[in-house]
Amino acid sequence: MARFFLLALWGLFLCSCSLNYQSEVAEVAHVPELVFFQARYVNYQEGRVSMVLEAAVLEQYQEDGALYGSQVHFSTYNDEGKLSAEGSCQLISADSSNEQYALLGQVEIKSFEENLILQTQSLSWDGKTQQLVTGLQDTLEITRGATQEEATSTSIELVGSGFSASGVTGNFQFAGAVSGKIYTATTEGEAP
């Protein structure tokens, strides 16, 4: 009986052992190909600077060529080489092959050509459809024109959630509630 018990125990031990003779291969799909610290990335088009991006950390992945950065500041330039917009955010994801860009954390963009400032927590741009969107629950603040103290023409301040805009039509909308102010310049003799 003791012999049968030992044989059963030995059989259970053999069945429970698993030996893996395959060599372990590290998963490299999620490891960046290049990591830059205090990076400055300059994009040229037709021999002119079109964009400058500066980041505390910038990672590039071989698999899809996407760039990811933290503590980011960027500037874009028009065809004449003049500064057209600048902005900043805490995190950025840029997949230029699919024209997908996402900005996260304290996003601020100033468009000098449009005299426009956007502030939000998340903002995504799809270059193929030319759609600019925030998260459905994210609040976006738009300031167009000067502040009330500086107003020499009409200026607008809007705050709302669920923002989306079309780069094709120039139209924008909010899915959630919107509030705002409109300032108009007044001259002597006109009511404020």
Side-chain angles (χ1 to χ4, degrees):
M1 181 70 149
R3 182 181 238 166
F4 178 73
F5 179 73
L6 287 174
L7 282 173
L9 188 61
W10 180 252
L12 182 64
F13 175 73
L14 286 176
C15 290
S16 65
C17 289
S18 78
L19 300 175
N20 184 357
Y21 294 104
Q22 296 179 0
S23 64
E24 293 293 321
V25 177
E27 179 66 42
V28 295
H30 302 293
V31 176
E33 177 183 25
L34 298 169
V35 178
F36 302 96
F37 298 94
Q38 302 305 316
R40 186 168 195 258
Y41 175 82
V42 181
N43 186 17
Y44 291 88
Q45 289 184 354
E46 298 178 13
R48 291 184 303 268
V49 174
S50 63
M51 193 254 313
V52 176
L53 183 133
E54 297 173 324
V57 178
L58 193 62
E59 298 176 351
Q60 183 176 2
Y61 288 78
Q62 180 178 14
E63 169 179 304
D64 57 4
L67 287 174
Y68 300 93
S70 64
Q71 305 306 316
V72 177
H73 180 272
F74 56 91
S75 304
T76 60
Y77 298 86
N78 61 22
D79 292 339
E80 290 81 38
K82 294 181 181 178
L83 182 64
S84 63
E86 65 181 3
S88 60
C89 61
Q90 291 179 345
L91 300 170
I92 191 169
S93 166
D95 181 356
S96 57
S97 62
N98 292 315
E99 299 183 48
Q100 299 286 323
Y101 306 91
L103 291 78
L104 301 168
Q106 298 175 348
V107 178
E108 181 177 86
I109 299 174
K110 296 177 183 176
S111 172
F112 300 108
E113 293 177 344
E114 300 291 327
N115 196 16
L116 183 74
I117 300 173
L118 301 177
Q119 294 176 315
T120 188
Q121 287 301 310
S122 73
L123 195 61
S124 298
W125 170 255
D126 184 329
K128 291 181 180 175
T129 62
Q130 295 196 13
Q131 294 294 307
L132 183 68
V133 298
T134 66
L136 193 57
Q137 300 299 316
D138 287 335
T139 300
L140 175 86
E141 182 178 334
I142 300 175
T143 305
R144 185 172 205 158
T147 63
Q148 181 181 13
E149 295 80 28
E150 304 168 337
T152 56
S153 62
T154 302
S155 62
I156 299 171
E157 292 179 9
L158 292 176
V159 178
S161 60
F163 175 81
S164 63
S166 169
V168 177
T169 64
N171 295 335
F172 67 90
Q173 66 183 13
F174 290 92
V178 179
S179 63
K181 299 175 184 174
I182 299 175
Y183 303 106
T184 57
T186 58
T187 58
E188 265 187 66
E190 291 183 331

